Amino acid sequence: MICRPSQGRKKVTATKTTILLLLSVVFLFGFTDPALAQKKFSRSFPAGTGVRMQLMNRSGTVTVVGWNRNEISIVAMLEAPAANIVPQQSEGKIDINLVRDNQGRGEVGNVNFTIRVPYNATVDIETKIGNLSVTSVMGEFVRAHIGLEGDITLTNIGAANVAADNVTGDIFFDGDVKEGGSYRFTSMKGNISIRIPFSSSFKFVATAPSTRDISMGPFADASMNSLGSGRRIVGKFRDGAATLSVTNQRGSIRFIQR
Amino acid sequence: MNCEECSQLISVYLDGELEETTAINLRAHLAACTDCAKLCEDFAAILDACNTEDGAETVPPNSQALWCRINNLIESEIKPEAPPVVEEPRHRIWQLSFAQLAAGFLGIAVISSLLTIVGIKNYNRPDTDDFTSRSSSSQTTFEKVMSRLGLMETPQQARDRRIKEQQAAIEYWNTRVQVRRAQWDRNMREAFDRNLNEIDQAVTEYQVILQQDPQDDLSGEMLDSALTEKMNLLREFSDL
């Protein structure tokens, strides 16, 4: 068999072309996939007892977890175009405000925060779009606010004052109901679930005017009153030591035993 | 001598004080002019009447005795007046007529009543949030009476007023949002519109219910809540 030189040259050229094409594809993906274009922000702050962590995000998720250290650790993954993050520390307070820090900028990419705070910290977090999650925090209060849409998940919460609200999205609360405490959950459209110990003592107002889908579960007893043809249930469980207010304009409300 | 000169000299002539030459001329004119002669006669008659004295008419026979009698008569008929008391201005203020006193008491009563009504009204008025969500069925008798008198808003009036205020605020913040939203990215704009639409649907739902049943407390409360939610959302996004 005779091997012609022109055929060998063609093979080499084809191989080179394939490799170049593959490299181009990898290169292009590397620049267009936001995951690969992310930046990382990481800072730690010493924190005393009852420190307040305040965060206002524009868009992206926020996860706050309590830990057994007198320190606040902030890690943020920034999608392009990367937002400015300028934490401000004052006495007993760490404040991050991405709305303020990026005022006047056009497009700003999502920023996904993971924050660790001491167990006894006070947490006040907001975002316009994205999920919020707070776990194992027992400070003075926990507030989670979503301007537009996203789920709020509060797990293992021991704060005496809790407020969570969004327009669209689910709200889940799992924690203790402290004597004299105040718990307020508000949504326009989504499902609100309250998971609390059966030993809890509280008075409550639960309103779901559109769906009338209110389930008190094991907390239903004879002292409860149904108002407005089932659109609202008011009552007291045990001594009524705490106050629960749950409003879901176009969604359901569920009470679950912890 | 003419008549004018003559008339001016008649009085002096009759007094005998005119010069002889002038008096001769005057007499000659009086002899020739009947008018001036008549005037001279009239003057002479007046002077004669003035110079005639009638003592019986002008002076009493014993004028001194007469004045003493008059004086005695006056003193005997008129009682001596009490010395005038100088009143202090303060006493004069309290000297009011019955009509003035009655008007004063009436004025005080009216002012007190109005103050009491206003006080009770303010004391009994619930918070705005509560009041806007109440129906007339939950009004107290006092509130119903006050509403009929026009001294207190009915729950419907309060709700309408509150809705107007909220809609004015919504309009204001919406104008500001429209200026800002061009700077948002597409995802944010779409999410904003989607969620605002959810709130608007709830608002419409409650408005329909309230049109059918204006007494529905719960829908009134939820409408108020949804409008507040919308207002807060617009305000929050007005500086994004």
Side-chain angles (χ1 to χ4, degrees), chain A residues 39-111:
Chain A
K39 277 185 177 179
K40 187 178 177 181
F41 171 93
S42 180
R43 289 280 291 275
S44 289
F45 299 91
T49 308
V51 67
R52 176 175 176 147
M53 177 66 227
Q54 192 167 315
L55 167 66
M56 186 182 282
N57 197 6
R58 278 173 67 115
S59 63
T61 62
V62 180
T63 303
V64 179
V65 182
W67 66 355
N68 191 20
R69 285 192 206 174
N70 289 329
E71 181 182 301
I72 289 180
S73 157
I74 300 167
V75 176
M77 302 304 291
L78 290 74
E79 293 176 7
N84 295 324
I85 303 177
V86 186
Q88 294 187 352
Q89 184 177 21
S90 57
E91 196 174 340
K93 180 175 154 185
I94 307 291
D95 181 20
I96 300 173
N97 189 330
L98 268 70
V99 174
R100 178 192 61 208
D101 297 341
N102 295 276
Q103 197 80 48
R105 288 186 63 186
E107 199 170 333
V108 175
N110 286 351
V111 180

Side-chain angles (χ1 to χ4, degrees), chain B residues 133-191:
Chain B
S133 61
R134 295 169 69 207
S135 70
S136 55
S137 60
S138 61
Q139 273 187 296
T140 63
T141 309
F142 177 75
E143 285 170 353
K144 281 179 183 170
V145 170
M146 296 294 272
S147 299
R148 283 187 186 172
L149 289 171
L151 294 168
M152 188 181 269
E153 285 179 318
T154 62
Q156 281 77 27
Q157 286 171 333
R159 185 192 297 150
D160 290 345
R161 178 180 49 78
R162 171 94 168 142
I163 288 169
K164 277 182 189 168
E165 287 169 1
Q166 286 173 315
Q167 283 173 338
I170 284 168
E171 202 173 319
Y172 169 77
W173 291 114
N174 193 39
T175 309
R176 292 189 59 169
V177 164
Q178 294 309 316
V179 175
R180 305 287 299 185
R181 64 175 285 144
Q183 296 176 16
W184 306 343
D185 59 53
R186 195 167 58 88
N187 285 342
M188 189 68 85
R189 276 199 297 271
E190 286 175 359

Side-chain angles (χ1 to χ4, degrees), chain A:
Chain A
M1 186 178 171
I2 300 163
C3 185
R4 285 181 283 193
S6 60
Q7 280 181 332
R9 225 177 282 132
K10 273 183 185 172
K11 269 188 182 176
V12 171
T13 309
T15 310
K16 278 182 181 173
T17 308
T18 310
I19 289 166
L20 277 171
L21 277 171
L22 283 170
L23 281 172
S24 304
V25 168
V26 170
F27 183 78
L28 281 171
F29 268 95
F31 274 93
T32 53
D33 186 1
L36 294 173
Q38 278 186 343
K39 277 185 177 179
K40 187 178 177 181
F41 171 93
S42 180
R43 289 280 291 275
S44 289
F45 299 91
T49 308
V51 67
R52 176 175 176 147
M53 177 66 227
Q54 192 167 315
L55 167 66
M56 186 182 282
N57 197 6
R58 278 173 67 115
S59 63
T61 62
V62 180
T63 303
V64 179
V65 182
W67 66 355
N68 191 20
R69 285 192 206 174
N70 289 329
E71 181 182 301
I72 289 180
S73 157
I74 300 167
V75 176
M77 302 304 291
L78 290 74
E79 293 176 7
N84 295 324
I85 303 177
V86 186
Q88 294 187 352
Q89 184 177 21
S90 57
E91 196 174 340
K93 180 175 154 185
I94 307 291
D95 181 20
I96 300 173
N97 189 330
L98 268 70
V99 174
R100 178 192 61 208
D101 297 341
N102 295 276
Q103 197 80 48
R105 288 186 63 186
E107 199 170 333
V108 175
N110 286 351
V111 180
N112 301 315
F113 283 93
T114 302
I115 301 171
R116 292 186 180 276
V117 297
Y119 286 126
N120 57 12
T122 287
V123 175
D124 183 355
I125 52 173
E126 283 186 36
T127 191
K128 307 296 180 199
I129 305 171
N131 298 335
L132 301 180
S133 168
V134 182
T135 305
S136 301
V137 172
M138 327 264 165
E140 189 184 339
F141 74 82
V142 170
R143 176 178 172 269
H145 166 75
I146 297 176
L148 294 174
E149 54 194 26
D151 297 337
I152 297 174
T153 307
L154 310 175
T155 315
N156 193 27
I157 303 297
N161 293 284
V162 178
D165 70 280
N166 59 12
V167 178
T168 308
D170 296 342
I171 297 176
F172 176 74
F173 173 77
D174 166 81
D176 293 329
V177 175
K178 300 283 187 187
E179 190 177 327
S182 172
Y183 302 83
R184 191 179 181 90
F185 307 100
T186 311
S187 180
M188 185 59 69
K189 187 183 182 185
N191 300 308
I192 300 180
S193 303
I194 314 291
R195 186 168 174 265
I196 50 178
F198 191 68
S199 58
S200 304
S201 167
F202 57 92
K203 52 182 179 290
F204 67 92
V205 180
T207 313
S210 191
T211 63
R212 303 172 195 224
D213 188 0
I214 304 171
S215 168
M216 295 305 298
F219 300 97
D221 70 12
S223 68
M224 293 172 184
N225 288 319
S226 177
L227 306 174
S229 308
R231 289 176 292 169
R232 168 176 283 173
I233 296 179
V234 297
K236 191 167 81 169
F237 192 71
R238 300 193 194 281
D239 295 333
T243 305
L244 260 77
S245 173
V246 190
T247 305
N248 201 344
Q249 301 260 11
R250 313 184 82 198
S252 65
I253 296 170
R254 293 267 178 282
F255 278 76
I256 306 159
Q257 185 181 335
R258 196 180 184 193

